Amino acid sequence: MDITDRLAGFAINTSFDLLPADVIEQAKKCFLDWLGVTIGGATYPIANILTGFVEEIGGEEQATILTKGIKTNVLNAALTNGAISHVLDFDDTHTASLCHISSPIMPVIFALGEYRHLSGKDCIAAFVSGFETSARVGLAMGPDHYHAGWHATSTMGRLGAVAAAGRLLGLSQKQMRRAFAIAATQSGGFTVVFGTMCKPFHPGKAAMDGILAAMLAARGFDAPENILETEKGFCRIFSKQVDFEKITDGLGKHYELLKNTFKPYASCLLTHPSIDAALDLRSAHNISADEIQKIEVTVAPLVREVAGKQRPKTALEGKFSVYYCIAVALLEGGVGEDKFTDEKMIDKRLSDLQQLISVKVNPEFNNTTAELSIKTVKGYSYTKKILVPRGDPRNPLSFSQIEDKFKILARKIFQEDKISKLIYYLRRLEDLDEINQLVELCS
């Protein structure tokens, strides 16, 4: 097999001029969505911790920590921006690979793009290169990887990050093969840390390691050149059910980026079908929390495994509680970022409503399916089944809807005129001579 070689060739040769129009449009959606959640996450404790850390250890002023106006070296900038972008758990998701792909790749694009004064076209091409790399290796690994306890955003994220970095730095194919190995050997990240700062730390560290790997490879750092397919390499170590054909089948012709999901709710994606059902029932039947006697929800097995926290105590834990997400949807009619605060976790009305919820698992359900039933104190029963939640590529958010999400998040920090300028540039990203124009607006 020559899997690593073929993927390396694709990574470094991805050209903006050869990308289909719908792929370019989808990539720009990803830029808009990622930047929005990064701005929105900039006020959270992890942002202050990492920014303080960076200020303490210093670094050559090469790239910007977005919204903070602080410059540091590209590694520290990627680490910090990557972690901040995932703290809300509001970033896009490639469901087939169980991976948040943008959050480890975009920090690479912004750090190296600013450092090297690269164009919008170069940045779009590098993003597509990285996205397809992560997605296709994730598909090849299958669900076995995630079920074993590995956080795919962290492990697969390093491969996408280094692919994007290699494209931006102009690596040769031989250097790119080695860069994959340097990134792969740094991989790690466990799902058991979900609900803590370690989860958003994963994509930040993946972005940092991707840049490090590409820069070392450019300097002649030695590494195996077949890390993906070799007997005890990345794929076979991390999964027992590898399908290598999924990495290269249709590579450069069929784009996994078009199957990306954008989140309408600020919680674990696995909770979204249940949220949709709750919101739909609330709207259709004008149900108030006081009327509810019992709530039953049936979900896929992975939902209870990953998002089954029954008594969330912190905002981060609430994002991984299908109980809390259903309760806040029914009680308040929305599941935006403002619904996830530590204070809301002890709100008696929300706690009482969660007590009425029972979660059942149907092994025949896939991760985008949920069925919610509500029984009222007057004896009425209502049921809603969701097969394709909002934001799924089969039920996508429009550019305008992602703009609305961006505006809500950006208003936490920026004035309307700056928000309008950011959206203007992101809409026309391919026309930017340097991504620095965008970065300067984010300081």
Side-chain angles (χ1 to χ4, degrees):
M1 290 188 291
D2 57 354
I3 302 297
T4 307
D5 187 61
R6 291 182 64 185
L7 197 58
F10 169 80
I12 63 172
N13 291 315
T14 299
S15 168
F16 177 86
D17 293 334
L18 298 178
L19 293 176
D22 56 349
V23 173
I24 294 170
E25 183 75 1
Q26 184 81 335
K28 290 195 292 184
K29 280 186 177 182
C30 292
F31 274 83
L32 176 66
D33 190 76
W34 180 84
L35 190 56
V37 297
T38 304
I39 296 168
T43 60
Y44 279 69
I46 192 172
N48 296 328
I49 291 171
L50 288 173
T51 301
F53 165 75
V54 168
E55 287 184 300
E56 180 180 341
I57 65 170
E60 192 75 21
E61 294 187 357
Q62 299 169 336
T64 303
I65 297 177
L66 302 176
T67 78
K68 302 296 185 181
I70 295 169
K71 282 204 169 188
T72 183
N73 63 50
V74 290
L75 298 180
N76 289 337
L79 169 67
T80 307
N81 289 331
I84 293 172
S85 73
H86 193 50
V87 68
L88 304 184
D89 222 295
F90 210 175
D91 44 320
D92 55 11
T93 309
H94 183 257
T95 56
S97 62
L98 297 171
C99 185
H100 296 270
I101 295 183
S102 293
S103 55
I105 298 173
M106 286 294 186
V108 174
I109 305 290
F110 275 78
L112 289 179
E114 180 184 4
Y115 180 42
R116 293 294 187 94
H117 298 272
L118 299 175
S119 71
K121 287 182 178 180
D122 280 331
C123 290
I124 290 171
F127 174 72
V128 174
S129 168
F131 193 100
E132 294 301 308
T133 296
S134 282
R136 286 174 167 277
V137 176
L139 289 173
M141 303 282 270
D144 176 67
H145 175 72
Y146 198 94
H147 292 316
W150 296 108
H151 186 197
T153 300
S154 183
T155 52
M156 250 64 73
R158 281 170 171 80
L159 299 180
V162 74
R167 167 64 174 78
L168 291 173
L169 293 173
L171 296 189
S172 69
Q173 194 154 331
K174 183 182 184 71
Q175 290 170 331
M176 191 70 247
R177 294 201 304 269
R178 290 181 173 181
F180 276 135
I182 301 168
T185 200
Q186 300 176 80
S187 290
F190 312 126
T191 58
V192 73
V193 306
F194 286 8
T196 74
M197 290 183 185
C198 287
K199 185 177 191 282
F201 179 70
H202 287 167
K205 193 60 167 62
M208 181 185 197
D209 291 348
I211 293 176
L212 175 62
M215 284 186 154
L216 289 176
R219 290 174 173 268
F221 201 91
D222 192 20
E225 296 181 16
N226 60 345
I227 197 64
L228 296 179
E229 67 268 29
T230 193
E231 185 59 33
K232 292 187 178 180
F234 182 90
C235 292
R236 290 191 171 100
I237 287 289
F238 280 122
S239 177
K240 296 176 183 177
Q241 300 175 357
V242 185
D243 183 353
F244 284 105
E245 286 188 11
K246 290 183 177 179
I247 297 178
T248 56
D249 185 29
L251 183 64
K253 297 179 181 178
H254 306 297
Y255 290 88
E256 287 298 316
L257 177 57
L258 298 176
K259 302 174 185 176
N260 200 28
T261 293
F262 297 96
K263 286 186 172 186
Y265 313 121
S267 60
C268 172
L269 190 64
L270 293 166
T271 65
H272 286 208
S274 299
I275 292 170
D276 271 354
L279 291 174
D280 286 354
L281 287 178
R282 183 183 191 272
S283 175
H285 304 288
N286 196 27
I287 300 171
S288 70
D290 296 337
E291 300 176 68
I292 297 173
Q293 182 183 75
K294 183 172 64 173
I295 302 167
E296 290 185 353
V297 62
T298 304
V299 296
L302 190 62
V303 178
R304 192 162 69 178
E305 178 186 332
V306 174
K309 293 183 184 294
Q310 290 185 267
R311 302 289 182 270
K313 295 180 175 61
T314 67
L316 284 175
E317 287 185 346
K319 291 173 179 285
F320 291 89
S321 171
V322 69
Y323 297 89
Y324 175 80
C325 291
I326 291 170
V328 77
L330 288 171
L331 187 65
E332 302 192 12
V335 195
E337 182 53 33
D338 61 318
K339 307 303 181 186
F340 294 92
T341 65
D342 290 349
E343 290 75 23
K344 281 193 175 292
M345 297 306 123
I346 56 174
D347 184 313
K348 188 176 186 303
R349 298 173 307 155
L350 286 166
S351 297
D352 289 347
L353 193 54
Q354 289 175 72
Q355 302 284 342
L356 305 180
I357 300 172
S358 62
V359 177
K360 298 181 179 179
V361 167
N362 184 336
E364 301 300 317
F365 278 16
N366 61 40
N367 294 333
T368 62
T369 301
E371 187 169 39
L372 187 79
S373 296
I374 297 175
K375 185 175 181 180
T376 70
V377 292
K378 292 184 179 180
Y380 296 110
S381 294
Y382 307 104
T383 299
K384 178 71 177 183
K385 188 172 185 178
I386 298 293
L387 299 175
V388 183
R390 297 175 180 92
D392 185 281
R394 296 165 293 173
N395 186 14
L397 298 185
S398 66
F399 210 110
S400 294
Q401 287 173 309
I402 299 174
E403 278 185 8
D404 291 340
K405 174 182 171 180
F406 179 92
K407 290 174 183 176
I408 291 169
L409 292 167
R411 284 176 186 140
K412 296 174 69 174
I413 294 180
F414 295 144
Q415 298 296 320
E416 292 295 331
D417 60 336
K418 180 169 282 194
I419 293 170
S420 296
K421 286 179 182 177
L422 283 168
I423 292 173
Y424 178 86
Y425 279 141
L426 287 161
R427 278 272 194 180
R428 299 158 181 81
L429 184 59
E430 66 271 36
D431 295 330
L432 289 185
D433 293 329
E434 294 183 4
I435 199 171
N436 305 55
Q437 296 169 260
L438 192 58
V439 173
E440 288 168 6
L441 279 174
C442 296
S443 297

